[in-house]
Amino acid sequence: MSETVKLSVIYYSSTGTGFDIAREIAETAEKAGAEVRLRKVAELAPAAAIQGNPAWAANVEATKDVPEAAAEDVVWADAVIFGSPTRFGNVSSQLKQFIDMLGGQWAQGLLADKVYSAFTSSATLHGGQESTLLALSNTFYHFGGFIVPPGYTDASKFADGNPYGTSHVDAQGNNPVDDTTRTAAQVQAKRVVRVARALKADASL
């Protein structure tokens, strides 16, 4: 069996923070030898809301060439890393709708026995990062997946301080993704690829 890991990075981002993290994860995973699909989920917000926020409109334009996620991107993958900004301490409606549409694949057992992990962002330091990541983990339990968090498996994790997954505080757009967050994303990506590769190598699992 080939040990080349197939990784899908599936995210929602309104103003670009999530996109920056997703891209960092995707690029790091590729350098680690994975075959990567970077995918955004469909936007649900009305055009008027998007155009009323310059950063949101700019991100829509900047990511117009990123393919939209499909159920097949999850089925294809050995590992999936989902990303969502915090919405009142929970997953964004855009990513949640995508997940909710995976019912058919779930019923066929096509979502099980994969590695899953997640990342997030919020406007404030205690704005719901952990609860959003834990909410995504609840979904992974139902999938029958292997949840692979970064934990404190690397000394750099004591800088960003989130063992559940990569998170970033953007302070309403005033704090762009920095080296601390990028390092956290790299640690998470490498760990997910490493664990997924080990699982692929052991066909009995």
Side-chain angles (χ1 to χ4, degrees):
M1 178 180 295
S2 171
E3 294 185 16
T4 299
V5 171
K6 295 181 288 186
L7 170 67
S8 285
V9 182
I10 298 175
Y11 76 96
Y12 173 71
S13 178
S14 55
T15 58
T17 298
F19 173 57
D20 285 346
I21 298 171
R23 186 167 48 183
E24 189 72 38
I25 287 173
E27 291 175 355
T28 300
E30 286 183 338
K31 291 175 183 176
E35 181 181 354
V36 180
R37 292 184 182 181
L38 177 62
R39 300 289 188 266
K40 65 185 179 186
V41 298
E43 179 60 81
L44 303 178
I50 296 170
Q51 294 305 316
N53 183 328
W56 198 348
N59 182 59
V60 169
E61 176 63 23
T63 60
K64 64 183 180 181
D65 294 329
V66 177
E68 282 195 1
E72 194 272 336
D73 295 314
V74 180
V75 174
W76 165 86
D78 302 306
V80 184
I81 301 178
F82 285 109
S84 171
T86 288
R87 291 292 183 262
F88 302 109
N90 215 317
V91 182
S92 68
S93 59
Q94 289 87 347
L95 183 62
K96 186 62 167 59
Q97 175 174 269
F98 175 79
I99 290 171
D100 287 347
M101 296 298 290
L102 296 174
Q105 290 73 27
W106 167 81
Q108 297 175 65
L110 299 176
L111 308 183
D113 301 333
K114 300 176 185 293
V115 167
Y116 292 96
S117 200
F119 63 91
T120 191
S121 64
S122 65
T124 59
L125 182 59
H126 298 290
Q129 299 101 320
E130 290 89 348
S131 60
T132 299
L133 295 174
L134 289 170
L136 282 166
S137 290
N138 288 335
T139 296
F140 306 153
Y141 294 138
H142 283 255
F143 287 174
F146 300 104
I147 301 173
V148 177
Y152 291 106
T153 58
D154 187 276
S156 66
K157 289 300 296 176
F158 290 94
D160 74 274
N162 192 336
Y164 302 98
T166 301
S167 63
H168 182 74
V169 178
D170 77 348
Q172 301 289 359
N174 292 312
N175 290 337
V177 173
D178 57 13
D179 288 343
T180 298
T181 300
R182 293 188 187 283
T183 298
Q186 292 162 13
V187 168
Q188 185 172 11
K190 291 174 185 176
R191 181 169 165 79
V192 165
V193 171
R194 183 170 66 252
V195 173
R197 183 176 290 125
L199 290 172
K200 279 179 70 76
D202 189 342
S204 66
L205 291 175

